[in-house]
């Protein structure tokens, strides 16, 4: 798995985009906006897989272990792009998988937000934070503390707004995580380009 992650990292960094900052692998667009396509992710094939079948407990972390879901994905006729997890103010937010911080800034209604691009192409989004511990270009590990919960941006209470995205498109985080058990779903996820969208669904086991 470690060799696979290293090879994938090198691949992602190669197509991370042209940047003026030699110490940061991401372009200005990638550093400043949440919905950004991952350069080259689907350039060779229309389908990629996010394979979590053999992940151990050390390979991932639930983002807010002490939290409770207060707003589901798709609420409001599909308008809600993530899942809201409630906890106390300034609770620690953990990075889900190994990766590189693509974006870390104050961003409109998201408030203080962090976007991490993981080595398989998945991106996770953590927002309404009271404080960010990382900046764009930082390498982060699964389980690393990256922020504290807050109510920055458009938020009425302290909580974590958590998203999963592929090629800039958000999809239901429940496909990746069991939010009741606070566990990773150890499955293979199929991501297929269909027109301007990406269809994301688990691979059914035979």
């Amino acid at each position: 798995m470690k060799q696979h992650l290293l090879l994938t990292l090198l691949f992602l960094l190669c197509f991370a985009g042209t940047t003026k900052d030699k110490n940061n692998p991401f372009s200005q667009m990638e550093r400043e906006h949440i919905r950004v396509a991952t350069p080259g992710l689907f350039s060779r094939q229309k389908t990629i897989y996010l394979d979590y079948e053999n992940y151990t407990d050390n390979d991932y972390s639930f983002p807010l272990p002490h939290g409770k879901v207060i707003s589901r994905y798709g609420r409001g006729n599909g308008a809600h792009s993530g899942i809201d997890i409630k906890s106390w103010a300034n609770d620690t937010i953990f990075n889900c998988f190994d990766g590189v911080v693509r974006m870390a800034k104050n961003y409109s209604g998201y408030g203080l937000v962090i976007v991490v691009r993981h080595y398989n192409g998945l991106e996770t989004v953590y927002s309404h934070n009271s404080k960010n511990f990382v900046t764009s270009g930082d390498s982060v590990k699964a389980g690393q503390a990256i922020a504290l919960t807050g109510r920055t941006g458009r938020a009425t209470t302290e909580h974590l707004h958590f998203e999963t995205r592929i090629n800039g498109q958000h999809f239901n985080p429940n496909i990746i995580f069991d939010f009741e058990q606070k566990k990773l779903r150890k499955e293979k996820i199929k991501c297929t380009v269909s027109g301007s969208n990406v269809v994301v669904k688990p691979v059914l086991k035979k």
Side-chain angles (χ1 to χ4, degrees):
M1 176 175 291
K2 297 297 183 182
Q3 183 180 13
H4 171 72
L5 291 178
L6 178 60
L7 291 173
T8 310
L9 171 62
L10 293 173
F11 177 67
L12 286 175
L13 292 181
C14 284
F15 65 62
T18 303
T19 173
K20 295 180 180 179
D21 184 354
K22 64 181 180 180
N23 296 316
N24 192 306
F26 302 108
S27 67
Q28 182 176 352
M29 177 70 74
E30 290 174 301
R31 296 194 300 267
E32 294 186 356
H33 297 282
I34 288 178
R35 185 185 175 96
V36 176
T38 301
L41 188 60
F42 288 98
S43 62
R44 296 187 178 183
Q45 63 281 317
K46 289 188 175 181
T47 296
I48 64 170
Y49 293 90
L50 312 177
D51 192 352
Y52 300 111
E53 291 181 302
N54 297 315
Y55 271 46
T56 69
D57 290 346
N58 293 325
D59 294 324
Y60 80 95
S61 176
F62 193 76
L64 199 60
H66 305 294
K68 178 182 178 181
V69 173
I70 57 172
S71 184
R72 61 181 175 81
Y73 176 81
R75 176 184 54 81
N77 296 320
H80 196 222
S81 57
I83 286 180
D84 291 345
I85 308 173
K86 172 67 177 170
S87 184
W88 55 84
N90 295 317
D91 193 6
T92 302
I93 299 169
F94 297 99
N95 175 51
C96 292
F97 309 101
D98 292 357
V100 181
V101 176
R102 174 169 69 77
M103 175 182 174
K105 59 175 293 185
N106 199 319
Y107 188 76
S108 187
Y110 282 84
L112 279 178
V113 63
I114 293 169
V115 180
V116 178
R117 179 173 292 171
H118 305 289
Y119 299 144
N120 56 5
L122 175 74
E123 291 190 334
T124 49
V125 181
Y126 314 78
S127 73
H128 301 310
N129 311 334
S130 65
K131 183 176 183 179
N132 289 348
F133 298 146
V134 294
T135 59
S136 179
D138 287 350
S139 294
V140 287
K141 304 294 290 184
Q144 180 176 333
I146 57 173
L148 298 177
T149 55
R151 56 184 298 179
T152 56
R154 287 195 298 270
T156 57
T157 186
E158 288 83 0
H159 70 284
L160 168 65
H161 174 80
F162 176 73
E163 296 182 1
T164 50
R165 290 179 177 261
I166 192 77
N167 211 38
Q169 177 185 301
H170 62 76
F171 65 93
N172 193 341
N174 283 288
I175 295 176
I176 301 289
F177 285 102
D178 181 332
F179 281 83
E180 290 187 3
Q181 298 296 320
K182 298 181 174 64
K183 294 281 189 179
L184 176 71
R185 297 187 190 276
K186 296 185 178 181
E187 301 175 343
K188 181 181 287 187
I189 311 301
K190 184 179 182 180
C191 307
T192 304
V193 174
S194 178
S196 60
N197 298 315
V198 180
V199 178
V200 181
K201 59 183 180 181
V203 175
L204 297 177
K205 296 181 180 180
K206 297 181 180 179

